[in-house]
Amino acid sequence: MSKIIISCAVTGSIHTPSMSPHLPVTADEIAESALGAAEAGAAIVHLHARDPVDGRPDQSPEAFEPFLKSIKQASNVVVNLTTGGSPYMSVEERVKPAAMYKPEVASLNMGSMNFGLFPMLKRYKEFKHDWEPAMLEGSHDLVFRNSFKDIRFALETLNETGARYEFECYDTSHLYNLHYFWTEGLVKAPLFIQTCFGLLGGIGPHPEEVLHMKRTADRLFGDNYKWSVLGAGASQMKVAAQAAAMGGHVRVGLEDNLWIGKGRLATSNAEQVTMVRKIIEGLGLEIASPDEAREILSLKGGDQVAF
């Protein structure tokens, strides 16, 4: 088994500021939290930006610049920029930061899907900002669009930057979509496949579902991919533990889960990284450094980015 890559998704666009006082919002908070995660053992930080005033998702390249520079100056960690942005944004808007800053890794959603965030309205009743409940309520009728045309646009825009991709696959069909683009020659091995479990609208987090996605990827891609997992919410550490025991890589972070245990909010991204690192090392496995992650994923190197 090669070493296990820990990715940390620092803030995302799904959770809102009213849900946790520990969710990074400002550029300084995002940088500090990403650096803390890296120090705790994350080889990759997966980054979104937010409006510093009200915390809403902000996919303007200008919103990314301050924390990208701070992270680059202080750490060797691999930077992964989202092209998911928010499911309410167009693909043209979503790819702009990665197109400008040319990161080593960019995330890429591999299919359209229902994106049900509205169950969180049952858990949270008071919000600081009007956009928060409106965003959650709107997901009753939300399809996160990632058509073949959209995916091709993202690939044709970003391939020339030398970035590789975190292919986010929320269901079996997304693996088949990725296989199509691979056979067309638009993406190259080793493919970094992030199978995502537990979001309403995607595949569930049951251990059999995790095995099903792994078996399907094995059948489609053989030795041409590197497997990673994320579990949303309470499934985060369970899914990570299962995958790590199978030699897979793992993703944690406040984008995917605000909690560190039953009834206890995670106080930082580093806290989640520390917990999953203990799981990995408890299995007798080793975590990958940023440079080891670069080698495993065949990344271009931190000196080749535009920030």
Side-chain angles (χ1 to χ4, degrees):
M1 287 185 180
S2 63
K3 293 185 178 181
I4 308 300
I5 298 170
I6 300 175
S7 295
C8 183
V10 172
T11 189
S13 64
I14 293 172
H15 295 119
T16 72
S18 298
M19 296 176 183
S20 172
H22 309 296
L23 184 71
V25 170
T26 68
D28 286 347
E29 290 169 348
I30 292 169
E32 180 181 2
S33 200
L35 291 170
E39 186 175 348
I44 301 174
V45 289
H46 168 114
L47 301 175
H48 290 240
R50 292 178 178 267
D51 184 303
V53 176
D54 64 9
R56 75 178 67 215
D58 185 346
Q59 201 67 4
S60 65
E62 296 77 18
F64 284 74
E65 183 178 14
F67 59 75
L68 289 179
K69 288 186 174 180
S70 297
I71 293 167
K72 177 69 173 174
Q73 290 168 0
S75 176
N76 186 41
V77 71
V78 175
V79 169
N80 172 353
L81 292 187
T82 181
T83 71
S86 162
Y88 290 95
M89 297 175 180
S90 69
V91 69
E92 291 82 5
E93 185 179 2
R94 287 156 41 197
V95 302
K96 284 181 179 179
M100 176 174 288
Y101 296 116
K102 301 176 173 57
E104 294 183 78
V105 182
S107 68
L108 186 58
N109 294 72
M110 290 312 298
S112 300
M113 58 185 293
N114 292 335
F115 213 78
L117 307 177
F118 53 85
M120 287 189 280
L121 287 167
K122 293 181 179 179
R123 299 198 294 272
Y124 302 98
K125 300 300 184 184
E126 296 183 6
F127 295 94
K128 301 174 185 176
H129 310 289
D130 291 343
W131 72 267
E132 298 175 83
M135 183 271 287
L136 298 174
E137 182 64 38
S139 71
H140 278 283
D141 193 32
L142 175 63
V143 176
F144 187 11
R145 174 182 163 141
N146 293 284
S147 68
F148 289 107
K149 181 180 178 181
D150 292 340
I151 296 169
R152 183 177 291 269
F153 172 81
L155 291 172
E156 290 178 346
T157 301
L158 298 178
N159 278 350
E160 64 186 42
T161 71
R164 283 192 170 273
Y165 301 95
E166 175 197 19
F167 294 107
E168 296 192 356
C169 297
Y170 287 82
D171 217 330
T172 315
S173 61
H174 295 185
L175 294 171
Y176 281 90
N177 294 350
L178 175 56
H179 187 264
Y180 164 76
F181 285 104
W182 182 50
T183 58
E184 286 290 293
L186 277 170
V187 299
K188 299 186 183 302
L191 306 170
F192 183 36
I193 299 179
Q194 188 74 258
T195 50
C196 310
F197 303 92
L199 183 88
L200 184 60
I203 198 165
H206 191 279
E208 287 294 335
E209 308 286 15
V210 178
L211 291 171
H212 169 64
M213 291 289 275
K214 177 65 164 60
R215 285 192 291 256
T216 303
D218 284 346
R219 187 170 62 251
L220 291 174
F221 303 106
D223 295 330
N224 294 291
Y225 83 105
K226 306 298 180 182
W227 180 49
S228 183
V229 301
L230 73 84
S235 67
Q236 184 182 62
M237 295 299 167
K238 297 174 186 176
V239 170
Q242 179 182 356
M246 297 167 64
H249 307 291
V250 301
R251 179 174 127 175
V252 295
L254 297 179
E255 171 173 351
D256 305 328
N257 178 31
L258 293 175
W259 306 86
I260 196 65
K262 188 172 183 179
R264 188 161 68 89
L265 288 169
T267 59
S268 66
N269 280 284
E271 190 175 14
Q272 290 186 350
V273 172
T274 298
M275 177 174 281
V276 82
R277 179 175 183 169
K278 288 179 179 177
I279 291 170
I280 292 166
E281 293 177 341
L283 293 168
L285 303 170
E286 295 181 74
I287 65 166
S289 69
D291 284 339
E292 288 168 335
R294 290 181 172 99
E295 183 177 355
I296 293 167
L297 301 177
S298 298
L299 304 183
K300 63 182 180 178
D303 59 339
Q304 300 295 312
V305 300
F307 57 89

